[in-house]
DNA sequence: GATGAATGAGCGTTCATTCAT
DNA sequence: AATGAATGAACGCTCATTCAT
């Protein structure tokens, strides 16, 4: 007897939220404005999400779901590590271009110093991609595609660090500028060049016959 | 000769600002509170800095100056690339432990999406370290310490990305949690292990005889 | 014959209302919460009562009905004034203990300054008990149980004042504290002592041979 | 070096508060409106009082101070109990006419069921008048002006009850209507009649030779 | 008739900024 | 130059009320 799932409505609401939170930040965004932009009343947002913070988290999770899916797909299949890395970088590049706001939102929480949620959000968001990356690296290690003198966990960590920074570099103002400082406008525009370089970097770093391997 | 004691007063003021901005964020921090904690009037802050945002920037720059000095020192001298990398990582580790607030402040601007200053701040802050890193890599390249198939600029970029993420991982709540997810408590505590792994990773990535170099 | 089960439903509804209004006050109580607690929809409350204020009044009247009945019973019968007073005090004491919420609700309107209904409610509620008290006193006067130098109406008024304050003193936080200040915890707990003292007080006040009667 | 005491400003502010709280109640009154009426900004009220509740308490205390003074004066001096009672009733009547709002404010807290402050407010407000009344009665008892079979504390309590109800009856809508129901318009207007009757009632009640005295 | 999702005016509170002293 | 009281726009959140189903 309950009303039909207003799931699509919620989706739309969250999408408006993503957009606002991504551009203004958690503090900067205004719930009343979000409501107006979403074509609903403030009350509705509060009926659904209870608090601004809750609503923010809900937006974030919706945003992250897509990103995760994209990354999961890219890291699926039984392919050589390099191929997988190539796919991942491509996915990151494509996604960052098309979903600037999601990346910005992600970047947003990444720096919520004054925020109690930082810890729990990290656990919620990072655990998924981290386990995927770890698995990927571990399998590659089993196949002998990877040097054995570096800890699998740390490799996955560095790997993620490089991908994450790349994402931010395509979507977030500060990182964007930083990328330009390092690589010029080209760094921002020439995706192939970036990918080629990053792949080479990673490949060498993983190389079982690499220098530090004695 | 009129300005009696301004500079040291300003320093103290900025330090209070750094502390507050680092823990509460730009939005979360309260100018009136900062003034009280610093033992001056709000009016004074406004006389000196004009706006909250300006004051924030001033705090940031003061904070960054120290960090830069630390990194510059670590990357000075005519030593092999690996040695330099080792020093840099040590510097990052030491600095992150002792100056959590500075790192957090840095992390703070890194994600100020809704902020006009992002761009100019990036230019002001990053250009220094980037030119140092580029120079370092370039020299290493000249000495044949580095693979030639990867662009120097991009190498420096990846290099910085790894160091920056490491900093954040030691100082910022979200990144801290993320590091734990990847490497466990150990990753946060065992600096030697982290350094060893990161060094190996970087070393291989730079290796002139690395895999992708055919 | 259409109205199937309305009255008992209404009763339940009002009882929930009494409970909420008694503990939160007219302003503090939340219609949506009341509806949830009563297991009906807000719409139902509005269908039945039109406005929050109306609903409050309805609750109040339901509550008052019980109280009135209790007091009426206590003041019935052809007994000496003192006996009647004794019964009334007992009734007030018993009722206040068992129906804290009703008393609080009564106390609530008693101080609704900003409220148009104050006047009409007073007329609705007080006229009943007042006429009973007046009749009681008048009969007592006819039997010579009462001094003739004090106006019957005023006597009834003072009489009611003492009973009403007593009620509040047993049920309402402020009055409770006040009673403790005057008579200590004992005043709150020793009903017999209170009754004995109040009876003596009243008895003397009514005494046809009292001091001011010259 | 501090600014001159803004005490008169605070007084004015509190007086505006008294007026609004008296007519609208704690919940009903609007801080923004009070600020406007007082000719200050909301911020100022919050600078001085911190919260609405605090401000309310401050208003209440200011209001109560006057009332207390009036009652203290009336109960001062070494005069027979009846004279004192006469003065007190006169004081109550005069004060209630001239300070309706204060009485209403007092009445307001008297019924704050949903309110944590009820207890502490009672202690703050009532302890003063109660100790004065107790002392009065105790002295009268020492002089043999008072019956010995009724507890001094309880006598003081009943005494206060009668005076308090009288106050409310002159100032608060509900009580006003109630008074009219008992005594007609006359009860509201003829202060002498009311005083005469109440005095007679009290006098008899206190009479050492009263009926219940065996 | 009953429902409960939606509404949006309204309120308490905060805080960057100003300016008279 | 320094102060800090005053300001008031702005915001998160509540809840009485409505109305489509």
């Amino acid at each position: 007897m309950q009303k039909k799932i207003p799931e699509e409505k919620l989706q739309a609401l969250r999408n408006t939220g993503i957009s606002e939170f991504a551009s203004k930040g958690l503090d900067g965004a205004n719930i009343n404005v979000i409501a107006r932009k979403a074509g609903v009343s403030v009350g509705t947002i509060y009926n659904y999400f209870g608090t601004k913070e809750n609503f923010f988290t809900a937006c974030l999770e919706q945003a992250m779901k897509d990103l995760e899916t994209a990354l999961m797909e890219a890291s699926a299949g039984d392919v050589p590590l390099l191929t997988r890395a190539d796919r991942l970088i491509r996915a990151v590049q494509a996604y960052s271009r098309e979903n600037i706001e999601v990346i910005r939102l992600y970047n947003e929480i990444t720096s919520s110093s004054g925020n109690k949620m930082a810890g729990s959000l990290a656990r919620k968001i990072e655990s998924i991609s981290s386990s995927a990356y770890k698995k990927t690296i571990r399998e590659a290690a089993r196949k002998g595609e990877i040097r054995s003198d570096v800890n699998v966990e740390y490799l996955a960590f560095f790997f993620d660090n490089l991908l994450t920074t790349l994402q931010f570099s395509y979507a977030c103002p500060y990182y964007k500028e930083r990328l330009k400082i390092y690589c010029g406008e080209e760094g921002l525009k020439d995706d192939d060049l970036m990918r080629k370089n990053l792949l080479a970097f990673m490949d060498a770093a993983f190389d079982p016959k690499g220098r530090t391997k004695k």
Side-chain angles (χ1 to χ4, degrees), chain A:
Chain A
M1 208 56 73
Q2 317 148 77
K3 293 276 149 62
K4 301 97 134 271
I5 346 90
E7 186 50 40
E8 55 185 63
K9 194 172 197 167
L10 284 180
Q11 291 260 357
L13 209 44
R14 287 195 219 104
N15 285 330
T16 312
I18 289 173
S19 175
E20 286 291 300
F21 286 129
S23 62
K24 315 268 180 61
L26 170 51
D27 289 316
N30 178 332
I31 287 284
N32 293 272
V33 169
I34 294 177
R36 189 153 48 248
K37 288 195 177 176
V40 301
S41 68
V42 230
T44 297
I45 296 188
Y46 278 88
N47 282 339
Y48 285 142
F49 303 99
T51 61
K52 189 192 192 184
E53 215 167 74
N54 256 261
F55 179 47
F56 176 77
T57 305
C59 292
L60 187 66
E61 280 169 355
Q62 164 146 321
M64 288 299 101
K65 214 169 291 175
D66 296 350
L67 177 53
E68 262 163 45
T69 311
L71 294 185
M72 288 304 133
E73 274 173 17
S75 66
D78 185 21
V79 294
L81 182 59
L82 251 250
T83 309
R84 216 192 297 266
D86 180 75
R87 281 189 194 164
L88 274 167
I89 299 173
R90 282 175 197 273
V92 161
Q93 291 181 320
Y95 194 87
S96 302
R97 265 60 160 102
E98 288 160 26
N99 303 76
I100 299 192
E101 290 175 343
V102 175
I103 303 295
R104 285 193 182 168
L105 198 57
Y106 175 38
N107 173 243
E108 191 68 33
I109 46 150
T110 259
S111 65
S112 48
S113 292
N115 210 309
K116 332 84 209 164
M117 357 182 236
S120 66
L121 282 180
R123 244 163 288 133
K124 224 182 281 187
I125 295 172
E126 298 290 334
S127 52
I128 305 179
S129 56
S130 79
S131 71
Y133 290 167
K134 280 187 198 170
K135 203 180 65 136
T136 292
I137 306 272
R138 208 170 284 132
E139 282 173 12
R142 209 164 358 96
K143 294 188 198 160
E145 293 179 310
I146 274 195
R147 54 190 7 230
S148 58
D149 65 334
V150 179
N151 212 309
V152 171
E153 280 76 26
Y154 285 77
L155 269 188
F157 178 57
F158 302 144
F159 187 69
D160 192 0
N161 287 350
L162 287 167
L163 286 183
T164 300
T165 325
L166 186 61
Q167 278 180 325
F168 292 165
S169 300
Y170 286 135
C172 310
Y174 188 93
Y175 282 96
K176 237 167 156 166
E177 192 64 31
R178 183 169 163 276
L179 170 52
K180 280 202 292 199
I181 289 169
Y182 272 101
C183 310
E185 284 286 348
E186 200 187 52
L188 217 51
K189 286 177 193 153
D190 192 338
D191 281 9
D192 289 333
L193 182 58
M194 172 63 79
R195 191 171 56 249
K196 179 181 147 301
N197 277 299
L198 184 51
L199 263 181
F201 186 85
M202 286 177 163
D203 184 38
F206 289 134
D207 186 358
K209 303 196 222 60
R211 177 160 45 177
T212 46
K213 180 101 192 290
K214 272 147 292 189

